[in-house]
């Protein structure tokens, strides 16, 4: 019989690694499946993290390594693979396989089909994270972490008394511009339309910020600089006028997309394809939990991702103990 895990965690970002630490301490037989060769998730691309309690000023790569080292020290098991499907074991015609066959009378098992193997688990935590939508302009990838950021609350403090630009027009872009206006000397909000899409209450607050200037009908053509961001090349869509705007940082807020492809038939999601789950991580499918950026939540930060991982393990323990 294939090895049966109490818990399989999909993803090795802060949520997945946080869950693995709590799972090891709970003495659950656990496997973490990660797509990349290096654990850490999006945090690895953050130049400096200054808001994670107890570790001020640590760079993202080092923080990711600390998470992994902690999991390793507790004996967490890892596998590198891409999961292409999750189903109840037996749904492929093998006959319904239950944990009772392993002698403990447990719940129905989950079968995870990967590119490199198949895994059986009593519970699953989906911690596959989300990816920021990008502008896909020259300089964006090269200067990521060197003035290009996708999180104002994470990186805004590094631009104190400097000039920053926010690209976008929704709630997040407006919130970022307001947040940065309290720190930066000057903030430009660059929007491709002639009106913002964000909440009217946010727009009112933004308009009251004296150091914010909105550049309407404008798109970014490129992000420029050698070892750090120095300017933005812009085009006004209505007039065709081109200009170069000197800035120290560019915050891109054109949305994020959760990594939930292929899971649509497994658990319920909202209109943005985020998994519907509360603080306890419970999804619409008993035995399946969601943690971190992949689930519906208001604040997506490293600290909340780690907390999600801990909550999910607690919920998984209760489920395994028959407490649902």
């Amino acid at each position: 019989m294939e090895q049966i895990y109490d818990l399989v965690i999909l993803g090795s970002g802060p949520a997945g690694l946080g869950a693995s630490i709590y799972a090891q301490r709970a003495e659950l037989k656990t496997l973490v499946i990660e797509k990349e060769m290096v654990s850490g998730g999006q945090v690895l691309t953050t130049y400096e993290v200054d808001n994670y309690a107890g570790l001020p000023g640590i760079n993202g790569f080092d923080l990711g390594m600390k998470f992994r080292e902690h999991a390793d020290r507790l004996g967490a098991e890892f596998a590198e693979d891409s999961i292409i499907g999750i189903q109840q074991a037996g749904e492929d015609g093998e006959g319904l396989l239950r944990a009772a066959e392993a002698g403990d009378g447990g719940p129905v098992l989950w079968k995870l089909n990967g590119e490199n193997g198949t895994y059986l688990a009593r519970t699953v935590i989906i911690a596959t994270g989300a990816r920021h939508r990008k502008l896909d302009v020259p300089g964006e990838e090269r200067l990521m972490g060197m003035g290009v950021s996708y999180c104002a609350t994470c990186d805004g403090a590094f631009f104190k008394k400097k000039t920053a630009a926010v690209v976008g027009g929704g709630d997040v872009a407006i919130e970022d511009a307001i947040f940065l206006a309290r720190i930066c000397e000057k903030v430009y909000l660059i929007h491709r339309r002639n009106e913002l899409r964000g909440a009217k209450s946010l727009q009112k607050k933004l308009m009251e910020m004296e150091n914010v200037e909105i550049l309407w009908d404008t798109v970014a053509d490129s992000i420029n600089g050698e070892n750090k961001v120095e300017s933005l090349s812009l085009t006004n869509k209505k007039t065709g006028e081109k200009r170069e705007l000197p800035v120290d940082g560019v915050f891109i807020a054109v949305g994020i997309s959760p990594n939930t492809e292929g899971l649509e038939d497994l658990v319920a999601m909202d209109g943005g394809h985020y998994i519907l789950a509360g603080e306890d991580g419970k999804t619409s499918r008993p035995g399946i939990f969601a943690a971190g950026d992949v689930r519906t939540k208001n604040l997506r930060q490293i600290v909340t991702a780690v907390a999600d991982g801990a909550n999910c393990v607690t919920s998984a323990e209760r489920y395994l103990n028959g407490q649902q």
Side-chain angles (χ1 to χ4, degrees):
M1 182 181 291
E2 293 180 77
Q3 186 162 207
I4 298 172
Y5 292 94
D6 294 319
L7 171 64
V8 168
I9 300 167
L10 301 183
S12 62
L17 292 175
S20 73
I21 290 166
Y22 273 76
Q24 290 304 113
R25 288 176 57 83
E27 297 188 355
L28 298 178
K29 185 170 182 56
T30 302
L31 175 68
V32 181
I33 299 177
E34 53 187 356
K35 289 179 66 175
E36 309 297 335
M37 294 178 61
V38 181
S39 302
Q42 287 189 63
V43 71
L44 298 180
T45 64
T46 302
Y47 178 72
E48 191 171 359
V49 177
D50 204 38
N51 59 356
Y52 193 79
L55 295 171
I58 190 170
N59 69 62
F61 184 85
D62 286 347
L63 182 59
M65 291 304 98
K66 282 187 176 293
F67 288 156
R68 174 60 191 258
E69 288 165 10
H70 193 166
D72 285 339
R73 184 165 61 83
L74 294 174
E77 183 180 348
F78 289 80
E80 188 180 331
D81 204 346
S82 293
I83 298 302
I84 55 180
I86 302 174
Q87 58 188 169
Q88 276 189 186
E91 287 184 348
D92 52 5
E94 295 175 352
L96 188 61
L97 177 63
R98 293 179 178 272
E101 295 182 23
D104 63 2
V108 172
L109 289 176
W110 295 100
K111 182 179 180 181
L112 295 86
N113 300 309
E115 293 180 356
N116 300 328
T118 302
Y119 313 88
L120 293 175
R122 294 180 174 90
T123 59
V124 177
I125 294 175
I126 301 170
T128 47
R131 59 194 182 276
H132 291 280
R133 292 179 190 153
K134 297 181 179 178
L135 296 178
D136 291 324
V137 298
E140 181 178 7
E141 289 281 348
R142 182 173 57 83
L143 294 169
M144 191 182 301
M146 294 183 287
V148 172
S149 173
Y150 300 87
C151 179
T153 53
C154 304
D155 301 326
F158 303 120
F159 298 89
K160 186 176 182 180
K161 296 183 179 179
K162 295 184 178 180
T163 299
V166 177
V167 182
D171 284 349
V172 173
I174 298 172
E175 288 171 350
D176 284 356
I178 293 170
F179 176 83
L180 291 168
R182 299 186 179 122
I183 301 170
C184 300
E185 181 178 324
K186 177 77 174 183
V187 176
Y188 294 95
L189 180 59
I190 298 164
H191 187 42
R192 57 183 177 151
R193 297 188 175 93
N194 61 3
E195 61 180 3
L196 299 172
R197 293 177 287 109
K200 297 299 182 183
S201 58
L202 285 174
Q203 292 189 42
K204 182 176 182 296
K205 191 175 293 185
L206 179 72
M207 299 305 177
E208 293 170 354
M209 298 286 184
E210 295 182 358
N211 60 337
V212 175
E213 181 179 342
I214 303 176
L215 303 182
W216 303 105
D217 302 307
T218 300
V219 295
D221 299 320
S222 67
I223 303 171
N224 313 311
E226 290 299 321
N227 299 315
K228 62 178 183 177
V229 169
E230 297 172 5
S231 69
L232 271 171
S233 294
L234 305 173
T235 298
N236 184 293
K237 292 172 62 180
K238 280 191 173 179
T239 66
E241 178 188 357
K242 294 184 179 293
R243 64 181 290 193
E244 187 161 321
L245 182 70
V247 293
D248 300 296
V250 180
F251 292 84
I252 299 168
V254 293
I256 62 173
S257 300
N259 297 317
T260 54
E261 292 84 357
L263 302 176
E264 294 86 357
D265 295 330
L266 180 69
V267 291
M269 301 181 187
D270 68 7
H273 299 283
Y274 290 95
I275 297 173
L276 292 171
E279 294 292 329
D280 58 7
K282 292 181 181 178
T283 70
S284 60
R285 193 72 72 105
I288 305 290
F289 307 90
D293 288 356
V294 78
R295 80 169 181 89
T296 48
K297 58 194 296 187
N298 291 323
L299 183 64
R300 292 183 169 86
Q301 295 279 279
I302 298 169
V303 67
T304 61
V306 174
D308 278 0
N311 276 318
C312 280
V313 171
T314 299
S315 295
E317 282 187 279
R318 291 176 61 83
Y319 173 79
L320 290 169
N321 291 331
Q323 297 174 275
Q324 301 299 316

